[in-house]
Amino acid sequence: PNIKLDVQNHSSSSAHDLLKNKEIDVAFVNTESPFAGVQNEEVFREDFVVLRYTDHPEARAVAPSELDVAHEIFEDFSSVYYQWHCKYFDLRKCKVRVNTPLLIPALMKSEGDWCILPLSTARHIKLSNDGFQIHPLIDPPPARICYVEYLNSGFESSKDINQLLIELREFIKQHVGPA
């Protein structure tokens, strides 16, 4: 197809605004758009897990009460995640806050350091770095949901968006796993 592709990285709220203002045609976001005329479709969902820096190979489930907030590398994923997080942890006491998972491996260098991440992100970090262990969470936050959103009239035809969604879902099946 004759499509110009320009990939950008924005927060969900910024992407909602860009789409509303017709500065972009499609957005992948973690929250549904609050604006009328925007179509949201779930692309995939995934659980959150604990990524720990440790020499211990045991990957048992971990309760939030077992995690020392002084060793936390905190990243905020959504308002729902933030509310869940505040039930268990005082952010004023965390080791450091980040706004991108790219920084996490460089900051998690002490035994006991940990971070709560979407499973796919934790797997990527573990595969690319030594010393990390993934643990399921007992009483985890709600699953992370990725949505594709677009204006109801943003594409030349609904055929374009349908083709994009078909190819996207196939890519996710092959590279991420079943939804």
Side-chain angles (χ1 to χ4, degrees), residues 85-164:
H85 188 275
C86 288
K87 283 189 338 189
Y88 295 104
F89 308 107
D90 181 350
L91 276 176
R92 295 172 297 177
K93 297 178 181 178
C94 74
K95 181 175 177 178
V96 66
R97 293 174 75 159
V98 297
N99 68 353
T100 176
L102 295 173
L103 298 173
I104 292 168
L107 297 169
M108 287 180 68
K109 294 296 183 189
S110 300
E111 178 74 24
D113 284 351
W114 60 274
C115 184
I116 297 174
L117 294 168
L119 178 58
S120 63
T121 305
R123 281 181 178 155
H124 178 75
I125 291 173
K126 184 180 179 198
L127 285 172
S128 306
N129 300 274
D130 292 330
F132 292 97
Q133 189 61 256
I134 295 172
H135 300 266
L137 254 171
I138 296 170
D139 190 23
R144 172 182 176 243
I145 302 173
C146 177
Y147 300 94
V148 61
E149 67 180 25
Y150 52 92
L151 294 174
N152 288 335
S153 60
F155 279 85
E156 290 182 18
S157 74
S158 61
K159 188 174 159 184
D160 293 335
I161 190 65
N162 288 336
Q163 186 60 40
L164 173 69

